[in-house]
Amino acid sequence: MTANKKTRQEKLKKLLMDKKRKMWNELRNEIFNKLGREYNKQFDSPQDLEEQSLIDLIEDTGLAIADMRREELTKTDEAITKLEDGTYGICEDCSTEIDEARLKVVPLTPCCVTCQAKKEGKKPTL
């Protein structure tokens, strides 16, 4: 492995690990702090059917958000595995290296800007 490739891999690993750490912290705060404290009293004693419906909506929304974050964490773990295999940051369509600037913005992207634009039927903006 060349020095440039190793440096790139180290940068990308740090990027993914920072993203994963941030997601875990957000998820933990969402579940334990916000939902646990703010809605705890409401969950204990809804006054009528409307309040119960609101509580159900809040619970469902919280679960949906948690599920989306869980899915994103799973994709991040898959990206870390790809990084260890040497395939992370490589476009799945054209096999070229995805620019680091793109990976900083969209770390879980499977495609380079050009291939993503083709999929979306747009001209790439570089």
Side-chain angles (χ1 to χ4, degrees):
M1 182 182 301
T2 66
N4 286 342
K5 192 166 186 173
K6 187 172 183 173
T7 301
R8 174 182 158 87
Q9 193 171 14
E10 288 170 1
K11 284 182 189 177
L12 295 177
K13 185 169 186 171
K14 182 180 179 336
L15 176 81
L16 289 172
M17 295 307 288
D18 288 347
K19 180 172 179 55
K20 184 177 178 179
R21 192 173 303 109
K22 182 181 176 190
M23 285 188 299
W24 270 115
N25 288 333
E26 288 173 355
L27 182 60
R28 185 177 23 245
N29 287 335
E30 183 77 28
I31 291 172
F32 294 112
N33 293 336
K34 187 175 181 185
L35 291 177
R37 292 182 187 150
E38 290 181 20
Y39 303 116
N40 192 27
K41 291 180 184 175
Q42 288 181 350
F43 287 146
D44 289 341
S45 58
Q47 299 298 315
D48 56 26
L49 189 56
E50 287 82 16
E51 282 187 14
Q52 184 60 50
S53 296
L54 178 61
I55 291 168
D56 291 343
L57 176 66
I58 290 168
E59 285 179 328
D60 290 346
T61 302
L63 290 173
I65 290 169
D67 193 48
M68 288 186 308
R69 289 198 176 142
R70 181 201 51 78
E71 185 177 324
E72 193 172 1
L73 281 165
T74 300
K75 288 180 180 180
T76 303
D77 283 338
E78 290 170 0
I80 291 169
T81 300
K82 283 183 171 185
L83 182 69
E84 292 167 356
D85 293 342
T87 59
Y88 175 76
I90 306 297
C91 180
E92 292 179 357
D93 292 346
C94 69
S95 300
T96 61
E97 280 190 355
I98 300 171
D99 188 70
E100 282 185 46
R102 176 165 171 77
L103 291 171
K104 284 181 183 178
V105 175
V106 190
L108 304 178
T109 187
C111 300
C112 66
V113 172
T114 304
C115 291
Q116 187 65 40
K118 286 178 187 175
K119 284 182 179 182
E120 295 173 2
K122 300 176 182 175
K123 288 186 178 183
T125 56
L126 300 175

